[in-house]
């Protein structure tokens, strides 16, 4: 896959000095373009997902300029970063209007839950991301469960508990397998505890009730997880190839839960038979429900799945955004112009867009700061990133920037828990694994850690141990 934006080649792009590009903070794709239709896109967010979205949008012949708010050191190479005084919906809308934005693509869930898509609709701005009432599918686990029950979608049995509940009796009801306790709020990845330790489950139930007034206790689903990203609007839905994340911090799925330490796509666990069940039992009923709402769902629905030993799929969770790092490995497999897909979905015209995929595999491995996820140490220099600058664009392998900033001395420093991800794209998962890890081996971050076994369920010999 050769990156070419408005006639400018990958090589020329890579030749620019990173610090020069970053300091300028802006590369106006519009000025290079003679073949584009000049659309202006504003991407909201600052993580690896947003860098991946911007990268995929640079492949579009329809996109003239890319803006990102707040963005990161990677998105600064692809467009203009905008640091706003605050992230209030009204501030973002003002920026979008000032830029004459043709499409707003919302990366994280929080702005959607706060009503960014609603405000866009009021202002006549096209927004890829659902309105707040539907973003609630991620914002409230209870709402997601009730929606699934109403739509007949398979998911784990659950109870809600509050101050008046008999917690011991509820724990007894789900004894014999790990307890799954979920807060009913957006908790930045810290809202779920899965534990075989009864007192830990009880403590989390009590502290959640004290904080939120209620909590969910859910039956444990055994099996293997997979993620399905489904683009949808009122007219249609399109599922992207299934991927698999690695949520635990350490090799062999050990250690604490994280935002995700690596992913690969496609995930072989989702065979065509499993995929057919997912469509029939989950995606079609969810789309029927979401398309019939007063404002249809316009965006991506992230379906977190558990596939059991009988190859039956159950929904573990819904998110109303692209997964991170699933996004990094899924977008490169889309052959169709991403702008056409996202713009189509934002305008209820998805059914008119024919979405094709590359027959390829992608794998990404996340480099995290020391102490991640509990208390990441920030501010350390990343060695090798300057030399790897050309690798922040599509090629056979590249770097997706997440928590990276520029120091006053013009060096790249880690400014987040998940720092970056190295992504490989190849004809086989094994090769994608090899080239992704090859990039990682050229980078150094004191105390930085990464999993050595990304893809171990799908690639023999990738167990890293
Ligand atoms: P959630 O935020 O709901 O996706 O939960 C975070 C993680 O907890 C999931 O990715 C699963 O690994 C695990 N998990 C959540 N619910 C269940 C369940 N009912 N059974 C087994 N594992 C679960
Ligand atoms: N990687 C899981 C998520 O984005 O929620």
């Amino acid at each position: 896959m050769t990156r070419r934006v408005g006639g400018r080649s990958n090589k020329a792009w890579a030749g620019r000095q990173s610090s020069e590009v970053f300091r300028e903070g802006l590369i106006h794709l519009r000025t290079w373009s003679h073949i584009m239709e000049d659309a202006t896109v504003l991407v909201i967010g600052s993580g690896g997902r947003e860098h991946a979205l911007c990268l995929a949008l640079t492949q579009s012949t329809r996109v003239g300029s890319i803006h990102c708010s707040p963005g990161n050191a990677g998105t600064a190479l692809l467009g203009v970063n905008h640091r706003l005084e605050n992230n209030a919906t009204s501030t973002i809308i003002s920026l979008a209007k000032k830029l004459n934005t043709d499409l707003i693509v919302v990366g994280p869930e929080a702005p959607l839950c706060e009503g960014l898509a609603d405000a866009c609709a009021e202002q006549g701005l096209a927004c890829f991301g659902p309105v707040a009432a539907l973003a609630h599918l991620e914002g409230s686990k209870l709402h997601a469960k009730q929606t699934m029950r109403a739509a007949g979608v398979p998911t784990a049995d659950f109870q809600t508990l509050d101050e008046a509940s008999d917690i011991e009796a509820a724990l007894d009801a789900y004894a014999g397998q790990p307890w799954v306790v979920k807060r009913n709020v957006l908790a930045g990845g810290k809202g779920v505890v899965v534990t075989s330790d009864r007192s830990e489950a009880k403590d989390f139930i009590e502290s959640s009730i004290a904080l939120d007034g209620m909590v969910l206790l859910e039956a444990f689903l055994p099996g293997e997880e997979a993620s399905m990203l489904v683009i949808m609007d009122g007219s249609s839905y399109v599922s992207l190839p299934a991927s698999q994340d690695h949520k635990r911090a350490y090799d062999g799925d050990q250690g604490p839960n994280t935002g995700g330490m690596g992913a690969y796509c496609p995930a072989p666990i989702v065979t065509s038979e499993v995929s057919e069940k997912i469509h029939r039992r989950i995606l079609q009923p969810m789309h029927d429900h979401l398309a019939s709402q007063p404002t249809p769902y316009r965006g991506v629905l992230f379906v977190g799945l558990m596939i059991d030993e009988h190859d039956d799929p159950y929904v573990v969770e819904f998110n109303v955004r692209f997964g991170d790092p699933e996004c990094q490995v899924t977008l490169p497999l889309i052959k169709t112009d991403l702008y056409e897909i996202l713009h189509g979905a934002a305008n209820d015209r998805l059914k008119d867009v024919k979405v094709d995929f590359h027959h390829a595999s992608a794998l990404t491995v996340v480099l995290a700061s020391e102490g991640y996820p509990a208390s990441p140490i920030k501010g350390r220099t990343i060695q090798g990133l300057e030399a790897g600058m050309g690798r922040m664009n599509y090629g056979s392998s590249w770097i997706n920037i997440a928590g990276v900033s520029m120091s006053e001395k013009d060096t790249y420093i880690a400014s987040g828990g998940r720092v970056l991800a190295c992504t490989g794209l190849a004809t086989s998962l094994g090769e994608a694994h090899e080239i992704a890890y090859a990039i990682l081996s050229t980078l150094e971050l004191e105390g930085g850690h990464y999993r050595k076994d990304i893809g171990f369920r799908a690639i023999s010999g990738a167990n890293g141990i």
Side-chain angles (χ1 to χ4, degrees):
M1 199 189 276
T2 308
R3 179 180 184 285
R4 189 170 273 275
V5 178
R8 185 162 175 154
S9 74
N10 219 356
K11 210 168 154 198
W13 178 273
R16 291 192 61 145
Q17 283 297 306
S18 57
S19 50
E20 170 202 341
V21 174
F22 185 80
R23 236 191 333 264
E24 285 174 17
L26 31 104
I27 291 185
H28 293 285
L29 303 184
R30 193 190 292 271
T31 58
W32 311 346
S33 165
H34 46 273
I35 53 165
M36 304 169 203
E37 288 181 25
D38 230 18
T40 298
V41 184
L42 172 60
V43 176
I44 304 298
S46 62
R49 167 182 49 215
E50 285 72 30
H51 186 215
L53 280 164
C54 290
L55 256 180
L57 285 165
T58 61
Q59 306 297 295
S60 169
T61 55
R62 314 268 317 257
V63 172
S65 64
I66 295 176
H67 298 260
C68 199
S69 181
N72 64 28
T75 62
L77 295 173
L78 306 170
V80 187
N81 279 351
H82 299 266
R83 286 204 174 272
L84 302 174
E85 270 170 40
N86 60 60
N87 289 323
T89 300
S90 55
T91 316
I92 298 172
I93 293 285
S94 300
L95 174 67
K97 285 169 96 174
K98 196 172 94 188
L99 296 171
N100 273 329
T101 305
D102 296 292
L103 176 67
I104 301 179
V105 180
V106 187
E109 65 283 7
L112 294 167
C113 291
E114 285 161 20
L116 182 54
D118 306 64
C120 287
E122 277 164 25
Q123 299 291 328
L125 292 162
C127 176
F128 183 81
V131 292
L134 303 182
H136 223 47
L137 275 180
E138 177 164 358
S140 162
K141 303 270 187 200
L142 178 59
H143 176 66
K145 285 289 196 188
Q146 288 166 337
T147 305
M148 282 187 265
R149 270 193 179 163
V153 166
T155 185
D157 181 30
F158 76 102
Q159 288 185 17
T160 55
L161 304 173
D162 60 24
E163 268 186 354
S165 305
D166 182 343
I167 294 173
E168 294 295 348
L171 288 168
D172 286 345
Y174 291 110
Q177 45 188 352
W179 287 279
V180 180
V181 186
K182 296 187 176 180
R183 289 183 62 193
N184 194 37
V185 293
L186 284 179
K190 299 210 165 86
V192 177
V193 163
V194 181
T195 179
S196 299
D197 179 337
R198 187 173 176 119
S199 60
E200 190 190 353
K202 190 175 176 204
D203 287 351
F204 191 64
I205 289 172
E206 287 173 346
S207 61
S208 302
I209 292 174
L211 284 168
D212 312 325
M214 60 84 70
V215 71
L216 279 75
L217 179 62
E218 197 172 291
F220 180 81
L221 291 167
E224 190 172 327
E225 284 183 78
S227 306
M228 203 88 161
L229 301 177
V230 187
I231 313 260
M232 61 168 74
D233 68 7
S235 74
S236 178
Y237 77 87
V238 177
S239 65
L240 307 184
S243 53
Q244 200 167 49
D245 184 11
H246 297 59
K247 285 198 172 128
R248 299 294 186 129
Y250 312 129
D251 287 353
D253 283 341
Q254 301 298 308
N257 252 321
T258 69
M261 294 297 289
Y264 61 95
C265 184
I269 175 85
V270 181
T271 58
S272 53
E273 184 206 350
V274 173
S275 177
E276 186 277 324
K277 289 182 188 173
I278 294 171
H279 278 270
R280 185 161 40 84
R281 299 179 187 173
I282 299 170
L283 305 189
Q284 190 63 58
M286 282 307 292
H287 183 254
D288 289 346
H289 169 73
L290 293 170
S292 67
Q293 298 303 303
T295 304
Y297 193 104
R298 300 181 186 122
V300 58
L301 183 69
F302 170 127
V303 186
L305 295 159
M306 193 71 81
I307 318 290
D308 76 4
E309 56 178 345
H310 308 294
D311 279 350
D312 284 324
Y314 293 82
V315 175
V316 174
E317 65 166 338
F318 288 126
N319 295 318
V320 297
R321 51 177 173 78
F322 285 104
D324 188 351
E326 288 93 332
C327 186
Q328 285 85 320
V329 287
T330 308
L331 295 185
L333 300 192
I334 302 177
K335 207 186 224 173
T336 307
D337 189 310
L338 186 66
Y339 179 82
E340 284 186 22
I341 300 173
L342 304 186
H343 190 261
N347 290 284
D348 276 337
R349 283 191 296 93
L350 189 59
K351 72 170 181 351
D352 301 330
V353 184
K354 186 171 177 308
V355 182
D356 292 320
F357 300 98
H358 294 290
H359 293 288
S361 295
L363 183 143
T364 196
V365 52
V366 169
L367 174 65
S369 292
E370 181 176 353
Y372 177 77
S375 42
I377 299 174
K378 299 175 188 171
R380 289 182 175 161
T381 302
I382 308 156
Q383 307 286 351
L385 205 47
E386 292 283 337
M389 281 309 293
R391 292 195 176 276
M392 290 192 205
N393 305 300
Y394 272 150
S396 59
S397 56
W398 62 91
I399 297 171
N400 284 116
I401 291 296
V404 176
S405 319
M406 207 66 172
S407 75
E408 282 170 10
K409 292 183 196 151
D410 266 5
T411 57
Y412 285 103
I413 53 167
S415 57
R418 287 189 291 176
V419 177
L420 53 82
C422 297
T423 305
L425 177 67
T427 49
S428 72
L429 261 183
E431 204 190 324
H433 175 276
E434 200 174 305
I435 58 182
Y437 276 94
I439 299 190
L440 196 56
S441 69
T442 66
L443 303 174
E444 271 177 48
L445 170 65
E446 188 194 335
H449 63 100
Y450 61 90
R451 279 184 62 161
K452 295 170 194 65
D453 64 349
I454 301 301
F456 74 93
R457 286 193 179 84
I459 311 166
S460 60
N463 62 10
I465 301 161

